[in-house]
Amino acid sequence: MTDIDTSADEVELGPVDYLVVEYPDGQPTGEALPYLIDLVDRGLIRILDVALLAKDAGGAISGVSLGDGSAGGDGGFSVFDGAATGILDDLDLAEAGAVLTPGAIGAILVYENTWAAGFASALRRAGAQLVAQGRIPVNALLAALEESEEEDG
């Protein structure tokens, strides 16, 4: 699923991100998956690795097979069965599991931002180095916008 040609002089690879989401009630619905699949289909991202974890009430963490249906009827995650590339190791899974709420099912997604691959490659060829990166949480952005509107209005 990765299709990255590492034999080329310059690998055109966009920034790689990960995210961990949890379903606190242990019941993934699959509602967001069509949006994720649309991003892949449009070539905006490339899925590099996917894993599901369960954290029991006692805090024990275990892997959940993407295709076995044990994650609340699988929530549609079986579409990613076989997508694992080995990028996620046991330490990554343990760290992701540590942030989950007991009783939750968690999904870990590693993806390449293919939309930015050409830009990122050009920066690397020019000798540029990424020195800072961040993300503004949506809730913080919405709160700031709301506060700004209150000040203006």
Side-chain angles (χ1 to χ4, degrees):
M1 192 162 199
T2 59
D3 300 327
I4 299 172
D5 180 10
T6 57
S7 64
D9 289 339
E10 169 64 28
V11 175
E12 185 155 300
L13 185 65
V16 175
D17 288 327
Y18 75 93
L19 56 86
V20 179
V21 297
E22 76 170 12
Y23 298 90
D25 63 0
Q27 298 295 319
T29 65
E31 182 179 345
L33 287 176
Y35 296 97
L36 179 62
I37 292 167
D38 180 58
L39 294 171
V40 172
D41 288 346
R42 291 190 294 144
L44 298 174
I45 67 168
R46 177 181 5 211
I47 304 297
L48 300 177
D49 219 334
V50 178
L52 286 180
L53 298 174
K55 188 170 189 175
D56 69 20
I61 301 162
S62 61
V64 176
S65 173
L66 293 170
D68 75 3
S70 65
D74 110 357
F77 286 98
S78 61
V79 71
F80 298 112
D81 195 22
T85 61
I87 290 173
L88 291 170
D89 62 19
D90 290 339
L91 180 60
D92 297 322
L93 298 176
E95 288 177 355
V99 300
L100 296 178
T101 304
I105 295 285
I108 308 164
L109 176 67
V110 179
Y111 60 97
E112 175 196 0
N113 291 284
T114 51
W115 62 268
F119 175 65
S121 294
L123 288 172
R124 286 191 298 270
R125 285 191 303 271
Q129 295 183 28
L130 181 64
V131 295
Q133 177 175 335
R135 179 158 286 140
I136 300 170
V138 172
N139 290 345
L141 180 61
L142 293 174
L145 290 172
E146 185 176 301
E147 184 178 312
S148 175
E149 288 176 3
E150 289 173 3
E151 290 173 1
D152 291 343

